Amino acid sequence: MTAFHPGQLVMVDIQGKSLDAATAAFLRENQVRAVCLFRKNLGTEAEVRQLTRDLRAVMGPTALIGLDQEGGSVVRATFLPQAPSAMALGAADAEGLAENVGAAVARGLASIGVNWNFAPVLDINNNPANPVIAERSFSEDADDVTRLAGAWMRGSLKEGVACCVKHFPGHGDTHVDSHLALPTVDKSRAELDALELRPFKALRDEAPAVMTAHIVYPQIDPDHPATLSTKILRDILRIEWGYDGVVITDALMMKAIFERYGYARAAVMAIQAGADMILAQGDLEEQGKSIQALVDAFASGELTAEQGRIACARLDKLAAAYPVRHDDYAGAPREADDVLMRKAWAAGLTALRGAKPPALDAALRVFVQPEVPTDGVSEAGPLGAQIVELFAAFPNAQIQYVDDILALDWAQVPQDGRLNIVASTHRMRYASNAKAWQPDLHLVLWNPFQAHDVPAPTVVTWGYADGALAGLKAWLEGRSSATATSPVNLD
């Protein structure tokens, strides 16, 4: 890449598990340097390594290949050692553990040619009704989020993979998922300074990149979501705080932005507001519209050459500091990281309301949904067969599959002396009918705030990766304890 081209300020996605000729030509012609990979792009580990090699060859030495590998339910490369969710690390509450997990995540990503991880999450989940953050947050406490997320990020950076803290200026206190609609957080600047903004401000000198939130903060800018707001990105983040790292938008195809502004206009507005790179998903035609909008805006003077030069320089610096690599990750190092992840999951296991494991010879009835499909943000929930395996050591356990666990009717549950256990593999909060549930034990395997909905002895795993389920199985069989403390109020 020689002369500046606005395509250098655009991150795109691609459609398959390999780089086809048309996409490669599009990337070359538009001098695109950044691709975000999603689950749809990830085949076998060998296929991913070949894909990233091909992308690096097309995009050149300043290539940025991104991925969401937060841990917990938001992981794309599921074949790598499975990291605990942020809230599992919040429950374990050990900075050294968080740093080691961040480093292990980075080692896995570096081995497959990913040099930019859209993590850690700095959102403070102080809203139990939040439909999209939940266990993706480290805590409801700003200082704990800062401390643990900072440690996680330092681990990643030490291993040579760039982080991107998100979602600035804070997605924790929302009732709406910005993938589906435009959320509003109606707080004063003083209130935001006291909570949401604190981790971002504290870590601004360490974070090489920040991702914006598609959220309106009407007491700061009533007219624009943060992604498109000069009052938030330029005035607060750039000027007031002096942040000179990369600012990238969340996906412009999300309904919070796309339905109101469209790709083309939003792309220009984001760069005007202070972003360096836009995330433009879609087919080649849609991505081309975003790039052409930037080309036209630079040509007309709506965007200045200086804005382009500064943004490009920031992105060049990021790519130079964290180049695409394909490290060897076989054998002992990978095995050690898998052991680390499993120990970290187990360290976060939390018992509430006096929950105790049942006797191995107890008569049990376990209610569980057979499968929970992906929603596009999180991976699919665990299969019912995985829950069956949790009770392999209980000879008198019956598994009762429920098509939709949210609609479980407790009036139909037999009262025959069996201990009734509800195993939740669902991300959504329960409906009001759950207030009538009276299980002897509630196993919360995903959204911890479901513990609010059922007044019963509860064990929270903060996720459903292999390590989480192994830790829960050991507890159920009486081989381990669940002594972690919840980082959010679940009473």
Side-chain angles (χ1 to χ4, degrees), residues 5 19 52 58 78 83 90 93 102 119 178 190 196 305 323 334 343 361 379 425 430 440 445 457 465 471 487:
H5 187 290
L19 183 60
T52 56
V58 168
T78 54
D93 194 24
S178 54
E196 281 87 350
R334 185 179 189 134
K343 287 182 177 178
D361 60 354
E379 297 300 310
T425 59
Y430 297 134
D440 297 286
L445 307 182

Side-chain angles (χ1 to χ4, degrees), residues 224-258:
H224 304 98
T227 295
L228 309 179
S229 172
T230 58
K231 294 179 180 178
I232 292 174
L233 298 188
R234 184 194 65 192
D235 295 352
I236 295 177
L237 185 59
R238 293 296 194 196
I239 296 176
E240 182 182 332
W241 290 3
Y243 184 69
D244 196 39
V246 168
V247 174
I248 182 172
T249 72
D250 207 343
L252 296 184
M253 52 73 66
M254 291 163 63
K255 290 185 178 181
I257 296 293
F258 180 75

Side-chain angles (χ1 to χ4, degrees), residues 280-453:
Q281 293 172 246
D283 58 31
L284 297 183
E285 181 181 359
E286 290 171 319
Q287 293 168 356
K289 289 178 180 178
S290 295
I291 295 172
Q292 188 60 48
L294 293 180
V295 170
D296 294 343
F298 279 108
S300 70
E302 187 176 9
L303 293 173
T304 69
E306 181 69 0
Q307 285 175 305
R309 183 194 66 78
I310 292 173
C312 196
R314 290 189 182 117
L315 291 159
D316 286 343
K317 182 179 178 181
L318 183 72
Y322 304 98
V324 173
R325 320 193 309 267
H326 290 86
D327 297 347
D328 182 16
Y329 193 49
R334 185 179 189 134
E335 292 168 5
D337 283 347
D338 186 65
V339 170
L340 167 69
M341 300 305 196
R342 290 172 178 269
K343 287 182 177 178
W345 275 113
L349 195 65
T350 305
L352 306 173
R353 305 177 191 126
K356 296 180 180 179
L360 291 176
D361 60 354
L364 309 178
R365 181 183 295 107
V366 183
F367 295 94
V368 66
Q369 190 167 319
E371 59 180 330
V372 178
T374 178
D375 59 6
V377 178
S378 303
E379 297 300 310
L383 296 173
Q386 293 173 273
I387 308 308
V388 171
E389 176 58 27
L390 290 177
F391 294 92
F394 293 82
N396 200 8
Q398 295 180 357
I399 304 298
Q400 184 76 45
Y401 285 126
V402 182
D403 289 339
D404 181 3
I405 197 71
L406 304 183
L408 176 62
D409 182 2
W410 203 259
Q412 301 301 314
V413 175
Q415 302 301 313
D416 55 4
R418 283 185 175 272
L419 297 179
N420 290 306
I421 298 174
V422 173
S424 172
T425 59
H426 212 289
R427 183 173 71 85
M428 302 301 293
R429 290 284 298 273
Y430 297 134
S432 58
N433 70 307
K435 296 296 183 184
W437 297 0
Q438 296 180 0
D440 297 286
L441 183 61
H442 183 204
L443 304 179
V444 176
L445 307 182
W446 196 335
N447 186 340
F449 295 105
Q450 290 174 338
H452 280 294
D453 301 332

Side-chain angles (χ1 to χ4, degrees), residues 88 91 344-351 459-462 468 471-472 475 480-485:
W345 275 113
L349 195 65
T350 305
V459 174
V460 184
T461 63
W462 317 102
L472 177 58
W475 180 84
S480 68
S481 58
T483 56
T485 301

